[in-house]
Amino acid sequence: MSTPRIKTILVTGGAGFIGGNFIRMFLDRHRDVEVVNLDKLTYAGNLESLRDVEKNSLYHFYRGDIADEAFVRRLFNEWHFDAVVNFAAESHVDRSILGPSAFIDTNVRGTMALLEVSREFGVERFLQVSTDEVYGSLGPTGKFTESTHISPNSPYSASKASADMLARAWWKTFGVPTLVTRCSNNYGPFQFPEKFIPLMIANALRDKKLPIYGDGMNVRDWIYVEDHCDAVDVVLYKGKVGEIYNIGGGNEVANIEMARLILSKLDKPESLLEFVKDRPGHDRRYAMDSSRIETELGWKATRSFKEGIDLTINWYLKNQDWWQRIISGEYQDYYKLQYEER
Ligand code: NAD
Ligand code: DAU
């Protein structure tokens, strides 16, 4: 399969955690590609995270909803994109339990709108950014491969699995050249402090309790965000259309272990740990088999967990304004709803 010629790319959800890190890396790597960031700027979207690329003449921002097909069509009319990378999503499992509708609107309907307009205009690549959560939950052994049956357990993962199925159908039925990446848990700079690692860091720094769901023995396979972004770039240019690629960090850590590690790195006491009511439908363990992307495309995660967690903690220490502003704003209502009612 020939390498796609990409001159203009639509990146959705670029004001979020992974999308923002991807845009920064992509602009640095591909100095002749126009990058359009389409983001609705929901509670999770923050243009502060992209201040350093704002002045780059190849970077363009549009505020809009991926589910607004007419708007997406106008954008395609203006830019005639060669490729689309769809990061835009409602991404937090706990929020999907509190209110699933937005997850269906964005993750399912939004993906369909992007696929439809991509079909109309024709693109060389459509990359759907998905998650290991579509596979459901593992027991103490084994890993998810690309042929593991999908068995999503939360409204979030069900919506992401639906989007994966749409990407497959638009390839099989209409020939839209889709690729799907499924990644494990990301951590690193600019992650919204509702997610586990930044929440633990932010709470520890403010001497607040660290809420641990259930027995704390749920395991996640952590990957540094830049390794995920690198994998998306590799799949975009070298991946085989119609395929799925698993991306994992190969770092399985139980939640309680992670919280203890963060406390010890910040020199805070373990008395800050607080076991709280479990998340309904809480998946026990995720672990990714990334051998397809490693052997077929030559990608490998490069950042060790030891390096990645230090970089992350240091980033949150140095950028307290960034997350303090978030915590003192809209997010606070959600925080109250989530934890004070337990
Ligand atoms: P995030 O919540 O930090 O960012 C999501 C971004 O999408 C925000 O900027 C938000 O404003 C935007 N957005 C939401 N709805 C939109 C809409 N209707 N139209 C346009 N923009 C909209 O999420 P993230 O953690 O960066 O995740 C990005 C993608 O990666 C998601 O698709 C998620 O499912 C997937 N993913 C995340 C992880 C992880 O560990 N965070 C792991 C694997 C896959
Ligand atoms: O696996 C990939 C997925 O990782 C992505 O698709 C999602 O977008 C992303 O949000 C993330 O989902 P998780 O549910 O695994 O991540 P979260 O940070 O919410 O939780 C990680 C683990 O920590 C999980 O077992 C639940 C637990 N947890 C989480 C929070 C927020 C706690 O024990 N306490 C908490 O306060």
Side-chain angles (χ1 to χ4, degrees):
M1 183 155 308
S2 60
T3 310
R5 274 194 71 247
I6 299 175
K7 288 282 167 206
T8 54
I9 185 170
L10 174 63
V11 178
T12 70
F17 165 47
I18 308 172
N21 276 288
F22 177 79
I23 287 178
R24 187 172 297 104
M25 186 214 70
F26 193 90
L27 284 167
D28 190 47
R29 265 186 200 178
H30 306 278
R31 305 275 171 122
D32 56 350
V33 184
E34 302 273 359
V35 178
V36 171
N37 174 12
L38 166 60
D39 197 296
K40 189 178 173 181
L41 298 183
T42 66
Y43 78 95
N46 187 349
L47 290 176
E48 281 289 310
S49 312
L50 285 164
R51 279 271 173 266
D52 55 333
V53 301
E54 251 173 14
K55 292 204 168 65
N56 187 320
S57 60
L58 291 171
Y59 170 73
H60 314 273
F61 174 73
Y62 289 78
R63 184 173 193 180
D65 186 339
I66 58 164
D68 180 348
E69 204 173 303
F71 179 84
V72 173
R73 191 169 288 110
R74 284 200 298 278
L75 210 55
F76 268 74
N77 239 324
E78 193 176 335
W79 286 95
H80 293 274
F81 300 110
D82 301 311
V84 177
V85 179
N86 184 26
F87 286 100
E90 286 294 334
S91 68
H92 193 41
V93 174
D94 294 328
R95 284 182 192 257
S96 81
I97 297 165
L98 292 169
S101 288
F103 287 73
I104 305 306
D105 292 344
T106 290
N107 303 0
V108 185
R109 283 213 61 85
T111 303
M112 193 200 75
L114 289 171
L115 284 164
E116 269 298 81
V117 181
S118 299
R119 169 161 83 103
E120 251 171 72
F121 282 78
V123 290
E124 290 212 36
R125 291 286 188 274
F126 184 111
L127 193 152
Q128 173 63 17
V129 179
S130 186
T131 166
D132 58 0
E133 300 205 8
V134 299
Y135 295 121
S137 186
L138 287 167
T141 57
K143 290 185 177 186
F144 297 129
T145 69
E146 288 83 354
S147 47
T148 302
H149 281 287
I150 54 170
S151 321
N153 292 320
S154 70
Y156 163 70
S157 52
S159 70
K160 292 296 291 184
S162 307
D164 290 10
M165 297 299 96
L166 295 177
R168 175 187 161 90
W170 260 245
W171 160 238
K172 292 277 183 186
T173 305
F174 303 119
V176 177
T178 62
L179 302 119
V180 174
T181 54
R182 291 181 177 151
C183 190
S184 62
N185 285 65
N186 287 221
Y187 68 104
F190 300 109
Q191 186 167 29
F192 195 87
E194 66 187 348
K195 304 284 165 57
F196 188 67
I197 289 185
L199 179 69
M200 297 297 117
I201 299 172
N203 282 12
L205 287 173
R206 295 176 303 149
D207 295 311
K208 291 201 177 287
K209 293 283 187 189
L210 275 59
I212 307 295
Y213 298 167
D215 64 2
M217 291 308 289
N218 301 68
V219 171
R220 296 293 182 265
D221 173 358
W222 294 97
I223 182 170
Y224 193 65
V225 62
E226 285 173 4
D227 277 326
H228 180 194
C229 293
D230 177 41
V232 168
D233 187 47
V234 167
V235 172
L236 181 67
Y237 281 92
K238 297 204 226 157
K240 188 161 165 242
V241 162
E243 290 294 341
I244 296 163
Y245 294 92
N246 281 358
I247 304 163
N251 292 304
E252 288 185 51
V253 187
N255 295 336
I256 186 70
E257 234 184 285
M258 181 69 88
R260 287 204 172 104
L261 177 73
I262 290 169
L263 285 173
S264 86
K265 287 195 178 277
L266 292 173
D267 204 17
K268 297 285 181 178
E270 290 205 358
S271 56
L272 286 179
L273 295 170
E274 182 176 49
F275 289 91
V276 299
K277 205 167 121 218
D278 208 354
R279 172 187 278 175
H282 195 175
D283 289 335
R284 192 64 171 170
R285 176 173 163 261
Y286 303 144
M288 284 304 241
D289 178 337
S290 314
S291 48
R292 169 178 287 170
I293 186 172
E294 288 176 7
T295 55
E296 293 179 16
L297 307 185
W299 173 88
K300 207 169 175 45
T302 56
R303 191 69 80 181
S304 74
F305 179 65
K306 196 181 164 313
E307 279 174 323
I309 197 71
D310 284 346
L311 282 172
T312 304
I313 291 176
N314 286 337
W315 190 87
Y316 281 88
L317 274 168
K318 280 203 193 110
N319 293 277
Q320 301 213 17
D321 277 3
W322 183 88
W323 57 265
Q324 289 278 13
R325 265 205 295 277
I326 292 172
I327 280 176
S328 59
E330 190 190 333
Y331 169 58
Q332 216 165 24
D333 297 338
Y334 166 72
Y335 188 87
K336 281 202 190 107
L337 188 67
Q338 178 81 344
Y339 303 113
E340 288 179 9
E341 285 179 1
R342 280 173 190 280

